[in-house]
Amino acid sequence: LFSARSKEPRPRVCPSCGALVGAYEKRCHRCGTGVAGLSFGRMKKWTARFLPERAPVSFLLLGFNVLLFLAAWIATARDARGFAPGVITGQLDAGVLERMGAMLGPAILLGQYWRLVTAIFLHANLLHIGFNSLVLLDLGPAVEELYGSARFFFLYVVTGALGFVVSLFWHGGMGFSLGASGALLGLAGVMIGYTTRYPSSVGRTIRGQLSRWL
């Protein structure tokens, strides 16, 4: 208490993976999670109470996608005001999806760039969200365990947004698009890149499976 010497900072424990991190390091050397302040890893530790310990962000994204799909389904039924085939089959109304943030070329060109992100979490019908959910559950945990939850979420959002940028230019600025397909293809590309950079027999097998799937 009476010493004039400043107290030396001590190493810390990563809130995400439990690895020991140097006192002056801002990120975990093992999983890339930030350890300064309120980090993504602390949020992950809190969500572990009600999410699976393995790949929690993958399941969180799945739940968020389903929640938005149900909200859009309810809005479609409300706007129909009566019997509509889409309400029964799960085909959502394009106007509802546009209001919720689907990728709309003219709107993005007018400055609504947030649609490049919000469109990732929207889906058009039951078949659309069903197939994307299966791929997310199959591919997401592998990428999340390899790169950590924070980097996985970053890769998911960035590759999904870049996919919509490509779609926007492909359709001459007039496209209407939505879904997690771009993000999922981006995750597959990340895995192919990783197994190419660090070759091994297991990596070649994974790369071959992903290439056939793509």
Side-chain angles (χ1 to χ4, degrees), residues 2 26 31 34 40 81 101 106 118 123 143 152 156 183 192-193 204:
F2 298 99
K26 294 184 178 180
C31 67
F40 194 92
R81 296 181 181 178
T118 55
H123 293 82
V143 180
F152 164 74
Y156 185 87
I192 291 176
R204 285 193 294 271

Side-chain angles (χ1 to χ4, degrees), residues 124-136:
N125 50 56
L126 284 172
L127 190 65
H128 191 195
I129 191 173
F131 274 112
N132 277 355
S133 297
L134 288 176
V135 177
L136 177 59

Side-chain angles (χ1 to χ4, degrees), residues 7 18 51 72 78 104 115 120 129 140 155 160-161 166 191 207:
K7 196 173 182 179
L51 287 174
R78 182 195 61 194
L104 184 64
R115 290 181 178 271
I120 301 172
I129 191 173
L155 291 170
V166 173
M191 289 294 289
R207 188 165 62 251

Side-chain angles (χ1 to χ4, degrees), residues 129-153:
I129 191 173
F131 274 112
N132 277 355
S133 297
L134 288 176
V135 177
L136 177 59
L137 288 177
D138 186 44
L139 188 58
V143 180
E144 187 172 353
E145 288 188 350
L146 183 64
Y147 285 94
S149 296
R151 290 182 180 180
F152 164 74
F153 182 74

